[in-house]
Each structure stands twice: as C-alpha cells, then as structure tokens.
Amino acid sequence: MRIMISADMEGATGVTHTQDVIPGTEQWQRMRRLFTSDVNACVAGLHDGGATSVLINEAHSSQRNLLLEDLDTRATMLTGRHKPLSMMHGIDSQMDAVVFLGYHTGAGTDGVLAHTYLENSITGVWLDGTHASEGRLNAAMAHEHGVPVILVTGDDKTCDDARDYAPHARLAAVKQCVSRYAAICLPPAKTAELIHTEATHAMNQAGPYEATTTPHHIEIEFDATHLAHAAAVIPTVDLTGERRVAFDAATMTDAMKAFKIVTAIAAGAVEGIYG
C-alpha cells in the first residue's frame, strides 16, 4: 500500500504566527521539530494500519522545513522547491491514498494563518464556483488520479472544510482556532497520539478508484487591482472584475499548473508594504 503525505506547516501542532513558519527565524527552528513530530506520528500510524511505502512531499514555503535526520526511517521525503505539481508532486494512479497534514483554511475564511498559496495578496479562490482552500484544490487533483484523501490534520476550521471536499477522510484537529493568529493548542504528546490513531484508522479508506478527468474553471480574487492586471497578461487568463481573474483548463493538473503561474506573476507584482 503506497501512501503519499502532502505536508504543509501552518496546520502543524503549535503553529499560530508568522514567525512560526518563516524560514530562518528562531520560532521556525522550534516549530520544525513539532512539524516533524506530526509527520512521524502519521507515518507510524499509516504503517500500523497496513502501509508499506510512505512518500512525504514537503509542501510549505521553501519546502525545506522537515528535519530529515529525525524522520521515521520507514518514510522517504521529497524536499525542495520548483516541483512541477508543487504540493501534490508525486501523486499518480499508483498511489493508494494521500494524507493532507498540517493543512489550513483558504484565503478569505476564518482559520489559523488562513490563505491560499500567497500569504496575504489573494482574498479568495473558487473552483467551479465553490470557494476553495488548498485542500479542496489538491483533493480535486487527487481525484483526477483516482486517489482518495484519507486523513486531514490542522485546526478545527480546516477539519470543517475537509468534511465537505473529503467527506470520508479521517480528521485530526491539533488546535482550535481563536483568530488568525491565536489557537488553543494541544501539546505535542497529545497531537502525536491523535494523529497516530487517526492515521491507523484512515488506512481502512485506502485503495485507488477509477480516475476521472474533467475540465475546471478557477477564479481568483486579489486585494489590489494591479495584481489582477498583472495576472491577466497570461494567455487564457481573463480579467473578470477589478480585482478578479479567471481561467479554464481541460484537466485539474493543467488548472493547478496555470494557478501556479498566476500566483507567481502576482507575487512578483507586489511592491513593498503597499502590496
């Protein structure tokens, strides 16, 4: 049984603030250990549930956050940036399931460090008319390969979001959102136990199903007009409002590749503290 873990950091145990997830800060160094602990608990639970191979795709920021030297030796890790499928690189029809670990809610919604790809320039993303978090976008890509999402970990708002896009997945809420920068957190020993238990049970849902490929429509709203205009120079991307762009794609894989381009162009157009 081959399982992939897409590991983000904002939804990891104890994380509540910018300094917790920005590479190079003292707090980031501290939270790397808690992030790695979450991943190890998941790997152990998956193996106890019957997994024979676990690939971890580092999915946060620099994508060089997990401590390889402390990683469960039964896992392998895909680390580093510029992966063609970003957070979902490694997904294919040979995978039996995927776990979304350390995930968070989407831009424009309540949740600890809520955002979608860009930390503060995107105010909303819609997939086929439905407000979409990174989890929803990535679940659609997994669906295209016939791979079920079997476990989602993060804050309680993230788990609420996952109930809609992955209704059969197990959920592990490692903290309760108070605000974007505050949460009631469980200690690492408790979250490790929770994640381990849920990962073990989640293996009951593992197993590929028939893949389906369908076209998709994505709409993105920015917090400033110039970001939308910058993104609209991309062929096939249309300006649909003062701060909105939209595009169509034949597959979800193509949609996410285009989404990466849009966010990269928009990020490059941000100027200083005015955005």
Side-chain angles (χ1 to χ4, degrees), residues 240-253:
T240 58
E242 283 191 331
R243 294 180 291 110
R244 288 198 181 205
V245 298
F247 61 87
D248 295 295
T251 69
M252 194 61 201
T253 299

PDB file of all heavy atoms in Angstrom, residues 240-253:
ATOM      1  N   THR A 240     -11.861  39.445 -14.972  1.00  0.00           N
ATOM      2  CA  THR A 240     -13.312  39.319 -14.831  1.00  0.00           C
ATOM      3  C   THR A 240     -13.899  40.342 -13.869  1.00  0.00           C
ATOM      4  O   THR A 240     -15.105  40.371 -13.656  1.00  0.00           O
ATOM      5  CB  THR A 240     -13.684  37.905 -14.349  1.00  0.00           C
ATOM      6  OG1 THR A 240     -13.029  37.647 -13.099  1.00  0.00           O
ATOM      7  CG2 THR A 240     -13.268  36.863 -15.375  1.00  0.00           C
ATOM      8  N   GLY A 241     -13.071  41.157 -13.270  1.00  0.00           N
ATOM      9  CA  GLY A 241     -13.508  42.198 -12.347  1.00  0.00           C
ATOM     10  C   GLY A 241     -12.324  43.068 -12.017  1.00  0.00           C
ATOM     11  O   GLY A 241     -11.207  42.832 -12.486  1.00  0.00           O
ATOM     12  N   GLU A 242     -12.524  44.099 -11.194  1.00  0.00           N
ATOM     13  CA  GLU A 242     -11.419  44.994 -10.874  1.00  0.00           C
ATOM     14  C   GLU A 242     -10.252  44.260 -10.213  1.00  0.00           C
ATOM     15  O   GLU A 242      -9.093  44.591 -10.435  1.00  0.00           O
ATOM     16  CB  GLU A 242     -11.903  46.103  -9.936  1.00  0.00           C
ATOM     17  CG  GLU A 242     -12.689  47.198 -10.614  1.00  0.00           C
ATOM     18  CD  GLU A 242     -12.914  48.388  -9.712  1.00  0.00           C
ATOM     19  OE1 GLU A 242     -12.971  48.193  -8.474  1.00  0.00           O
ATOM     20  OE2 GLU A 242     -13.016  49.510 -10.237  1.00  0.00           O
ATOM     21  N   ARG A 243     -10.576  43.261  -9.401  1.00  0.00           N
ATOM     22  CA  ARG A 243      -9.539  42.521  -8.676  1.00  0.00           C
ATOM     23  C   ARG A 243      -9.612  41.023  -8.918  1.00  0.00           C
ATOM     24  O   ARG A 243      -9.061  40.246  -8.158  1.00  0.00           O
ATOM     25  CB  ARG A 243      -9.650  42.818  -7.168  1.00  0.00           C
ATOM     26  CG  ARG A 243      -9.352  44.254  -6.791  1.00  0.00           C
ATOM     27  CD  ARG A 243      -9.480  44.506  -5.287  1.00  0.00           C
ATOM     28  NE  ARG A 243     -10.860  44.423  -4.840  1.00  0.00           N
ATOM     29  CZ  ARG A 243     -11.357  43.454  -4.088  1.00  0.00           C
ATOM     30  NH1 ARG A 243     -10.598  42.441  -3.698  1.00  0.00           N
ATOM     31  NH2 ARG A 243     -12.631  43.464  -3.712  1.00  0.00           N
ATOM     32  N   ARG A 244     -10.289  40.616  -9.986  1.00  0.00           N
ATOM     33  CA  ARG A 244     -10.508  39.190 -10.236  1.00  0.00           C
ATOM     34  C   ARG A 244     -10.026  38.775 -11.614  1.00  0.00           C
ATOM     35  O   ARG A 244     -10.141  39.522 -12.585  1.00  0.00           O
ATOM     36  CB  ARG A 244     -11.997  38.840 -10.118  1.00  0.00           C
ATOM     37  CG  ARG A 244     -12.518  38.859  -8.704  1.00  0.00           C
ATOM     38  CD  ARG A 244     -13.825  38.105  -8.624  1.00  0.00           C
ATOM     39  NE  ARG A 244     -14.381  38.100  -7.287  1.00  0.00           N
ATOM     40  CZ  ARG A 244     -15.206  37.169  -6.816  1.00  0.00           C
ATOM     41  NH1 ARG A 244     -15.580  36.182  -7.602  1.00  0.00           N
ATOM     42  NH2 ARG A 244     -15.680  37.233  -5.596  1.00  0.00           N
ATOM     43  N   VAL A 245      -9.499  37.544 -11.653  1.00  0.00           N
ATOM     44  CA  VAL A 245      -9.162  36.910 -12.923  1.00  0.00           C
ATOM     45  C   VAL A 245      -9.752  35.507 -12.914  1.00  0.00           C
ATOM     46  O   VAL A 245     -10.068  34.954 -11.848  1.00  0.00           O
ATOM     47  CB  VAL A 245      -7.639  36.838 -13.161  1.00  0.00           C
ATOM     48  CG1 VAL A 245      -7.032  38.222 -13.239  1.00  0.00           C
ATOM     49  CG2 VAL A 245      -6.962  36.001 -12.072  1.00  0.00           C
ATOM     50  N   ALA A 246      -9.880  34.921 -14.084  1.00  0.00           N
ATOM     51  CA  ALA A 246     -10.418  33.565 -14.187  1.00  0.00           C
ATOM     52  C   ALA A 246      -9.822  32.880 -15.402  1.00  0.00           C
ATOM     53  O   ALA A 246      -9.368  33.535 -16.349  1.00  0.00           O
ATOM     54  CB  ALA A 246     -11.938  33.594 -14.295  1.00  0.00           C
ATOM     55  N   PHE A 247      -9.800  31.554 -15.357  1.00  0.00           N
ATOM     56  CA  PHE A 247      -9.329  30.777 -16.496  1.00  0.00           C
ATOM     57  C   PHE A 247      -9.966  29.398 -16.466  1.00  0.00           C
ATOM     58  O   PHE A 247     -10.452  28.934 -15.426  1.00  0.00           O
ATOM     59  CB  PHE A 247      -7.796  30.655 -16.507  1.00  0.00           C
ATOM     60  CG  PHE A 247      -7.215  29.972 -15.307  1.00  0.00           C
ATOM     61  CD1 PHE A 247      -7.074  28.595 -15.266  1.00  0.00           C
ATOM     62  CD2 PHE A 247      -6.795  30.709 -14.210  1.00  0.00           C
ATOM     63  CE1 PHE A 247      -6.526  27.961 -14.166  1.00  0.00           C
ATOM     64  CE2 PHE A 247      -6.250  30.085 -13.094  1.00  0.00           C
ATOM     65  CZ  PHE A 247      -6.116  28.711 -13.071  1.00  0.00           C
ATOM     66  N   ASP A 248      -9.962  28.739 -17.630  1.00  0.00           N
ATOM     67  CA  ASP A 248     -10.464  27.377 -17.774  1.00  0.00           C
ATOM     68  C   ASP A 248      -9.303  26.459 -18.120  1.00  0.00           C
ATOM     69  O   ASP A 248      -8.324  26.874 -18.754  1.00  0.00           O
ATOM     70  CB  ASP A 248     -11.532  27.306 -18.866  1.00  0.00           C
ATOM     71  CG  ASP A 248     -12.771  28.106 -18.500  1.00  0.00           C
ATOM     72  OD1 ASP A 248     -13.445  27.731 -17.525  1.00  0.00           O
ATOM     73  OD2 ASP A 248     -13.043  29.111 -19.180  1.00  0.00           O
ATOM     74  N   ALA A 249      -9.413  25.208 -17.723  1.00  0.00           N
ATOM     75  CA  ALA A 249      -8.382  24.215 -18.030  1.00  0.00           C
ATOM     76  C   ALA A 249      -9.049  22.881 -18.315  1.00  0.00           C
ATOM     77  O   ALA A 249     -10.092  22.554 -17.736  1.00  0.00           O
ATOM     78  CB  ALA A 249      -7.395  24.079 -16.881  1.00  0.00           C
ATOM     79  N   ALA A 250      -8.429  22.095 -19.184  1.00  0.00           N
ATOM     80  CA  ALA A 250      -9.015  20.820 -19.598  1.00  0.00           C
ATOM     81  C   ALA A 250      -8.950  19.770 -18.500  1.00  0.00           C
ATOM     82  O   ALA A 250      -9.779  18.854 -18.460  1.00  0.00           O
ATOM     83  CB  ALA A 250      -8.303  20.306 -20.845  1.00  0.00           C
ATOM     84  N   THR A 251      -7.959  19.893 -17.602  1.00  0.00           N
ATOM     85  CA  THR A 251      -7.802  18.948 -16.504  1.00  0.00           C
ATOM     86  C   THR A 251      -7.442  19.704 -15.234  1.00  0.00           C
ATOM     87  O   THR A 251      -7.028  20.866 -15.285  1.00  0.00           O
ATOM     88  CB  THR A 251      -6.688  17.925 -16.792  1.00  0.00           C
ATOM     89  OG1 THR A 251      -5.421  18.597 -16.763  1.00  0.00           O
ATOM     90  CG2 THR A 251      -6.880  17.257 -18.148  1.00  0.00           C
ATOM     91  N   MET A 252      -7.548  19.034 -14.082  1.00  0.00           N
ATOM     92  CA  MET A 252      -7.163  19.678 -12.831  1.00  0.00           C
ATOM     93  C   MET A 252      -5.652  19.854 -12.762  1.00  0.00           C
ATOM     94  O   MET A 252      -5.163  20.833 -12.196  1.00  0.00           O
ATOM     95  CB  MET A 252      -7.668  18.866 -11.634  1.00  0.00           C
ATOM     96  CG  MET A 252      -7.592  19.641 -10.328  1.00  0.00           C
ATOM     97  SD  MET A 252      -8.600  21.139 -10.364  1.00  0.00           S
ATOM     98  CE  MET A 252      -7.823  22.102  -9.051  1.00  0.00           C
ATOM     99  N   THR A 253      -4.915  18.928 -13.337  1.00  0.00           N
ATOM    100  CA  THR A 253      -3.459  19.076 -13.372  1.00  0.00           C
ATOM    101  C   THR A 253      -3.069  20.324 -14.143  1.00  0.00           C
ATOM    102  O   THR A 253      -2.230  21.119 -13.690  1.00  0.00           O
ATOM    103  CB  THR A 253      -2.808  17.830 -14.002  1.00  0.00           C
ATOM    104  OG1 THR A 253      -3.123  16.682 -13.194  1.00  0.00           O
ATOM    105  CG2 THR A 253      -1.300  17.990 -14.083  1.00  0.00           C
TER     106      THR A 253
END
